[in-house]
Amino acid sequence: MSPVSRGTSESRGEDRRLLRFEPHLPHAYETIWPALSTPDGLRGWLAEADVLERRLGGAVTLRRPDGGPTLSGQVTAWDVERVVEYTLTGLGRIRFHLEPVGTDSTVIRFFHEYVPNQPGPGLDQPGPGLDRPGSEGPGPAGPGSSRPGSAGGRAVDAEYLAGWHRRFELLESALEGHPAAPSARADQRLAALRASYAPPAAAA
């Protein structure tokens, strides 16, 4: 399995954060597209799609495989085999833009734009499932602690970055024929990634 390059985070205005990943996967875009845009594909690495209307403006509802919280919203970009974007209450915007490299590999230009203090469930560490960042470990301690640029905000970024990093590893595994069972998503690998993305102690 090819290593996933580290994600980055940045401020987007006064109240938003933008996370980016660009995983380069050894699979053709026609193979990757269903994993990002169909219920069966999403189930293997991200979440159950109870509702997924595969069109611009269509409804989408994602939930944890073990019956936990759900996230609902809309398909806010849809360009078949190239771009899919979901905007979900409590999570924000997640966008996947496929760019073929030759005939048998693809770069996914991914971003996640979110408001740190937005209420509701979030797709935290997209490793364990549809949970609020910090729900399974250290995180924001109170109102305002996760504002952009604060120590709490950086901690939330770290949770999301670790989670998406793990999810992209699970995506590649699923593309190779090994979709992850729910219990495999909260694992030691995720804990190590959280530690690697955690803000320095001096900044916390």
Side-chain angles (χ1 to χ4, degrees), residues 128-199:
L130 297 152
D131 301 307
R132 186 69 178 160
S135 63
E136 298 187 1
S145 63
S146 59
R147 66 186 183 279
S150 70
R154 290 189 296 272
V156 174
D157 279 358
E159 288 286 324
Y160 275 118
L161 287 166
W164 284 117
H165 193 128
R166 183 60 179 138
R167 286 291 188 177
F168 285 121
E169 291 178 343
L170 293 174
L171 170 60
E172 185 168 357
S173 180
L175 291 170
E176 293 172 353
H178 306 288
S183 60
R185 293 174 177 169
D187 56 15
Q188 291 182 346
R189 174 61 178 158
L190 180 60
L193 286 166
R194 285 175 177 161
S196 76
Y197 279 107

Side-chain angles (χ1 to χ4, degrees), residues 5 14 34 38 58 62 80 87 91 134 147 152 158 161 171 188 193 202:
S5 58
E14 294 184 356
T38 68
L62 303 181
V80 175
T87 299
L91 175 63
R147 66 186 183 279
L161 287 166
L171 170 60
Q188 291 182 346
L193 286 166

Side-chain angles (χ1 to χ4, degrees), residues 3 7 13 15 25-26 31 36-37 46 57 71 80 88 94-95 104 116 136 140 147 166 169 172 181 183 197 202:
D15 64 346
L25 304 179
T31 300
L36 308 178
S37 64
L46 184 63
L71 299 175
V80 175
L88 299 161
I94 57 173
R95 182 182 182 93
D104 58 0
E136 298 187 1
R147 66 186 183 279
R166 183 60 179 138
E169 291 178 343
E172 185 168 357
S183 60
Y197 279 107

Side-chain angles (χ1 to χ4, degrees), residues 9-202:
S9 64
E10 62 190 70
S11 294
R12 196 68 177 257
E14 294 184 356
D15 64 346
R16 292 181 180 272
R17 301 292 295 169
L18 186 69
L19 312 182
R20 298 181 187 272
F21 279 88
E22 292 191 356
H24 186 172
L25 304 179
H27 298 274
Y29 70 92
E30 299 96 334
T31 300
I32 296 173
W33 175 253
L36 308 178
S37 64
T38 68
D40 284 346
L42 290 169
R43 182 181 302 116
W45 70 282
L46 184 63
E48 296 283 348
D50 290 339
V51 177
L52 180 53
E53 297 177 348
R54 303 176 69 243
R55 58 177 174 80
L56 183 63
V60 58
T61 299
L62 303 181
R63 67 172 173 84
R64 287 172 49 152
D66 61 4
T70 62
L71 299 175
S72 296
Q74 284 189 312
V75 178
T76 46
W78 184 267
D79 183 357
V80 175
E81 295 189 341
R82 286 180 56 84
V83 178
V84 61
E85 177 183 284
Y86 305 117
T87 299
L88 299 161
T89 300
L91 175 63
R93 284 197 304 154
I94 57 173
R95 182 182 182 93
F96 305 89
H97 183 175
L98 303 184
E99 292 190 5
V101 180
T103 60
D104 58 0
S105 66
T106 305
V107 171
I108 302 176
R109 302 200 186 280
F110 168 84
F111 78 66
H112 175 195
E113 184 180 54
Y114 75 99
V115 178
N117 284 323
Q118 186 171 346
L123 187 96
D124 101 273
Q125 325 83 348
L130 297 152
D131 301 307
R132 186 69 178 160
S135 63
E136 298 187 1
S145 63
S146 59
R147 66 186 183 279
S150 70
R154 290 189 296 272
V156 174
D157 279 358
E159 288 286 324
Y160 275 118
L161 287 166
W164 284 117
H165 193 128
R166 183 60 179 138
R167 286 291 188 177
F168 285 121
E169 291 178 343
L170 293 174
L171 170 60
E172 185 168 357
S173 180
L175 291 170
E176 293 172 353
H178 306 288
S183 60
R185 293 174 177 169
D187 56 15
Q188 291 182 346
R189 174 61 178 158
L190 180 60
L193 286 166
R194 285 175 177 161
S196 76
Y197 279 107

